[in-house]
Amino acid sequence: MDLFKAAITVRENAYAPYSDFQVGAAVRTISGKVFTGCNVENVAYPEGTCAEAGAIAAMIAAGEFEIAEILVVAGGASKVSPCGGCRQKIAEFAKADTPVYMADLAGDIEESTIGGLLPAGFGKEHLEVK
Ligand code: THU
């Protein structure tokens, strides 16, 4: 799967000296282009950014807005699952049934959707005035 290859490759560049937990993410947009990101930690811990945030920032910087699918890869005992904040970030640019793939380093991949990972999430409809 090319998304897995893209994500595990960018993971090599992750800057994670504090957690020692490197993460890679790859987004495919509806145009077919792939954008990648890795986590970038900071000595002021809350200033670190997740791999998904980096991939989404690259997508937006390229002028693309619609995620067709996204894959996240990391090591660890179980397959990495996007954190709550990243689920919200993905949802901003995806549909409820947009696939989210969660991979381990061996290339074993679990599939969900952003709607499955973020049920009843805060959405644009909540901003509408009554
Ligand atoms: N991390 C990600 O990059 N994506 C996630 O969805 C989960 C967590 C990063 C943040 C931090 O640099 C490290 O993994 C440990 O939490």
Side-chain angles (χ1 to χ4, degrees), residues 16 19 21 23 38-41 49-52 72 80-83 86:
S19 71
F21 189 77
V23 186
C38 55
N39 52 333
V40 183
E41 297 185 346
T49 52
C50 285
E52 297 91 323
V72 189
V80 67
S81 180
C83 76
C86 285

Side-chain angles (χ1 to χ4, degrees), residues 58-70:
M59 174 189 81
I60 295 299
E64 300 235 13
F65 295 89
E66 288 183 65
I67 296 174
E69 50 184 355
I70 180 167

Side-chain angles (χ1 to χ4, degrees), residues 15-18 40-49:
Y15 177 75
Y18 306 107
V40 183
E41 297 185 346
N42 192 282
V43 63
Y45 296 170
E47 297 306 322
T49 52

Side-chain angles (χ1 to χ4, degrees), residues 3 11 18 20 24 27 33 39 43 45 65 86 95 99 109 113 121 124 127 129:
L3 271 191
R11 178 182 171 274
Y18 306 107
D20 202 26
V27 166
K33 284 195 191 139
N39 52 333
V43 63
Y45 296 170
F65 295 89
C86 285
K95 299 195 168 82
I109 296 171
T113 62
K124 289 166 192 147
L127 288 180
V129 180

